[in-house]
Amino acid sequence: MADSMRLPVTALLGANMFFSGVTFASTAPYAAIVGVETLGLTGPSYAGLVSAGAIAGTFISVFLGYLSDRLPDRRILVLISALAGVLGHGLIYWLRTPLAFSVSTVLIMPLGFAMFSQSFAYVRVFYNRHHPGRADFMVSMLRTVFTVAWAVVPPLAGYLAAAFSIFDVYLMSSLAYLACALIFAALMADGGTRVANLPAPPKPVREAGARGPLPVPIVTGVAGLIVVSVATRLGGMGTPLLMVNALGGELTDVGFLAGLAAALELPFMLGWGLLLAKISKEAILVFNALLFGLYLVLVSRAGSVAEVLWLQCLNGIATAALMSVSISYLQDAIKGRVGLSTSLMDVVAIAATLLSGAVFGVLSIGGDYRLVLLAGGLIAIAGAMLMLAGNLGRVGLVRRAA
């Protein structure tokens, strides 16, 4: 039997998710600036590096998910991924050359970025074992902590970049990865935090899930999430450009928009996490995909920056569910294989990134970002309909309180 836990595990996992958020929030807004403006890469070269790294990351994440369901200790994969993040972003900070940036982006950081999904795989298995009735809520709560970093870190990273060096954001990220590594090293020293895989499901379930074709509801659900994720990315690309180019907004308005959107998501993430005990994941996701589609359609018709900011109330409700409940949904996709299921998060993300880039490239040729946002709204509605069509029974399911 496992040793009793000596460490405050939930607090440590919360800290891990916050620092995981720091790794993304400190570097994502500045990666293109570093690669193109500072290091002199061409736009196509930068795009090629990012695409290659994203594709490599998908294969690595799926492999790690497959491996984690067979290893006796999931914590080691989180630790390895965190150390890769320390090395990858540390390399960019110390060397500051196009070669270092390229090697890190394509060869090292695909493993580093897998820390996010592997952390959630560990979280889900840990709470499935120790607090099964609260597992979905804890996943949603910890995803909320990740969002807190996005609300507070970008202004600090922007200050460091402006006052000192833009490469300091990579130092900030590398140190955050180091904090995550230290947290999981501490967890590995506590025998009570080691969790073995849950018992394998009955043979018929395995054959219909992990060892055979996925059920139609799961396939359509994952496909629907990819389509909706395309819409969320189109919204993320098109809204700031609409504000600056058509509505007379300033860069400070764009920064305020990002912080406001993240702040509004926080309470709704917790709220949707609580509702998971009573309402099915499918129902929550379909409703909020439709709501997000409505939001993008309304933004495409906005006549001022103020209107866009007011509409963030709808965005906060919808995005909170789409970003948090989708994690629990995907983790249940392949029965008995939480690690492999969690890796679907990265599959959805890379597919949506590639598809949204192609759609944006075609629709933004004439500089009409309203068209991009309108298309995004219609795509979100289509994704909701796809998920609904394959999950009619589940969408109507109301859970009994645990």
Side-chain angles (χ1 to χ4, degrees):
M1 185 173 178
D3 300 335
S4 60
M5 288 175 285
R6 304 185 303 274
L7 297 174
V9 179
T10 295
L12 288 173
L13 292 177
N16 176 73
M17 291 314 305
F18 177 80
F19 286 117
S20 180
V22 172
T23 67
F24 287 94
S26 61
T27 56
Y30 304 100
I33 298 175
V34 170
V36 177
E37 299 295 331
T38 307
L39 296 177
L41 297 172
T42 65
S45 296
Y46 173 79
L49 286 174
V50 172
S51 297
I55 293 171
T58 300
F59 284 106
I60 289 174
S61 181
V62 171
F63 172 74
L64 291 180
Y66 177 85
L67 185 63
S68 71
D69 290 323
R70 286 162 171 75
L71 288 178
D73 192 344
R74 293 174 179 271
R75 298 170 297 181
I76 186 64
L77 292 181
V78 183
L79 180 59
I80 291 172
S81 298
L83 291 176
V86 175
L87 175 62
H89 280 174
L91 195 67
I92 295 175
Y93 171 73
W94 285 109
L95 299 184
R96 308 186 183 191
T97 64
L99 179 60
F101 186 87
S102 301
V103 169
S104 174
T105 300
V106 177
L107 299 180
I108 303 175
M109 288 314 300
L111 178 57
F113 289 143
M115 184 188 74
F116 178 73
S117 58
Q118 286 304 310
S119 293
F120 273 111
Y122 173 79
V123 165
R124 183 58 182 265
V125 174
F126 177 84
Y127 286 106
N128 275 348
R129 175 175 176 178
H130 293 283
H131 304 285
R134 302 179 61 218
D136 285 336
F137 173 73
M138 292 307 300
V139 168
S140 183
M141 187 195 76
L142 290 172
R143 181 59 177 80
T144 303
V145 175
F146 180 87
T147 303
V148 170
W150 275 94
V152 302
V153 169
L156 176 59
Y159 168 76
L160 290 175
F164 301 98
S165 167
I166 195 169
F167 287 99
D168 287 345
V169 301
Y170 284 96
L171 175 61
M172 188 177 185
S173 176
S174 185
L175 292 175
Y177 272 115
L178 179 60
C180 293
L182 292 175
I183 288 170
F184 266 83
L187 289 173
M188 291 183 70
D190 185 343
T193 66
R194 178 181 176 275
V195 288
N197 289 324
L198 296 177
K203 185 177 180 181
V205 176
R206 290 202 310 269
E207 291 179 349
R211 296 190 180 182
L214 291 176
V216 171
I218 295 299
V219 173
T220 56
V222 173
L225 281 179
I226 291 174
V227 174
V228 174
S229 297
V230 170
T232 62
R233 282 157 175 76
L234 290 174
M237 291 184 284
T239 303
L241 291 168
L242 176 71
M243 291 174 64
V244 173
N245 289 281
L247 302 180
E250 304 290 340
L251 291 177
T252 51
D253 294 322
V254 174
F256 182 69
L257 173 74
L260 176 63
L264 288 172
E265 289 171 20
L266 297 176
F268 290 112
M269 280 189 176
L270 292 175
W272 289 121
L274 290 171
L275 284 176
L276 280 171
K278 300 180 179 298
I279 304 175
S280 70
K281 301 180 184 74
E282 292 83 359
I284 292 174
L285 290 171
V286 168
F287 170 78
N288 284 284
L290 291 172
L291 183 62
F292 188 76
L294 173 64
Y295 157 72
L296 287 184
V297 171
L298 293 175
V299 170
S300 74
R301 299 174 61 84
S304 67
V305 170
E307 287 184 41
V308 175
L309 295 178
W310 277 110
L311 286 170
Q312 295 313 299
C313 295
L314 293 180
N315 182 31
I317 296 171
T319 302
L322 296 175
M323 294 295 104
S324 60
V325 177
S326 61
I327 296 175
S328 294
Y329 177 80
L330 291 171
Q331 286 182 324
D332 289 335
I334 306 174
K335 299 301 181 183
R337 303 287 291 280
V338 173
L340 189 58
S341 295
T342 303
S343 70
L344 290 175
M345 291 163 51
D346 298 303
V347 174
V348 169
I350 182 57
T353 298
L354 295 175
L355 290 172
S356 62
V359 172
F360 181 82
V362 172
L363 296 182
S364 64
I365 290 176
D368 187 356
Y369 301 112
R370 293 185 186 275
L371 179 60
V372 171
L373 292 166
L374 177 60
L378 297 177
I379 288 171
I381 293 171
M385 292 297 99
L386 178 60
M387 182 174 289
L388 177 62
N391 294 272
L392 285 173
R394 299 186 183 200
V395 167
L397 178 64
V398 178
R399 296 181 175 182
R400 294 180 179 179

